[in-house]
Amino acid sequence: MPIRQRSTRPGGRRLIVVEPFLEWHEQAACGDEPSELFYGPERESQHERLVREGRAVAICDRCPVRTPCQKHALKRPEPYGVWGGTTESSRSAARRSSAEVPSRRRLAAVDQSS
C-alpha cells in the first residue's frame, strides 16, 4: 500500500501526517473544500464554531464515504476537526461513553457473582 502525505490544520496549525493511502480519501465530498471549514482557528467563538461545523457536517451528509471516514476518526482517534459528520466534541463524548461501558459491565458481573 503506497504512503500518502496529507496536510491537516488541527487548531489552525499546519501539520503533515504520513499514513497509508486510504482509497476513500479520494472519493470524499470534502476534497475540494477549504480545510478551514473542517478545522477551526484556535480562538474561534462558540457561535462561529457551531456555524462552521454545521456547514461541514452538511457536506459530510452528502458524502459517499461518510461511514469509513467516521470509523477512521473514531478508531484513530482524530482529536481535531469534522470527520464523517462527527465533530471534535461528539467524538470525545462517544469515546467517553464507550470507555464507561466496560466498567459498567464489570460492575454487573461483580454484582452477579456476589
Side-chain angles (χ1 to χ4, degrees), residues 4-45:
R4 177 180 178 203
Q5 273 194 342
R6 65 180 173 86
S7 295
T8 59
R9 301 188 85 166
R13 294 177 298 277
R14 189 143 186 88
L15 172 69
I16 300 295
V17 177
V18 179
E19 66 178 29
F21 174 78
L22 301 171
E23 284 187 29
W24 57 263
H25 280 189
E26 295 299 316
Q27 301 167 7
C30 63
D32 293 329
E33 299 292 336
S35 62
E36 292 81 13
L37 183 59
F38 297 88
Y39 299 95
E42 288 187 33
R43 290 185 175 86
E44 181 177 46
S45 74

Side-chain angles (χ1 to χ4, degrees), residues 70-80 86-102:
Q70 188 178 86
K71 287 180 181 178
H72 164 83
L74 290 168
K75 181 181 175 188
R76 183 151 183 107
E78 289 288 353
Y80 302 106
T86 63
T87 62
E88 297 170 18
S89 59
S90 67
R91 288 191 307 277
S92 178
R95 284 191 291 275
R96 280 192 310 272
S97 174
S98 65
E100 294 171 9
V101 171

Side-chain angles (χ1 to χ4, degrees), residues 45-92:
S45 74
Q46 183 178 9
H47 175 74
E48 291 169 328
R49 179 179 49 82
L50 292 173
V51 169
R52 178 187 53 77
E53 287 177 345
R55 290 178 53 215
V57 168
I59 293 168
C60 294
D61 285 345
R62 68 172 199 266
C63 184
V65 294
R66 179 181 179 166
T67 300
C69 181
Q70 188 178 86
K71 287 180 181 178
H72 164 83
L74 290 168
K75 181 181 175 188
R76 183 151 183 107
E78 289 288 353
Y80 302 106
V82 174
W83 289 79
T86 63
T87 62
E88 297 170 18
S89 59
S90 67
R91 288 191 307 277
S92 178

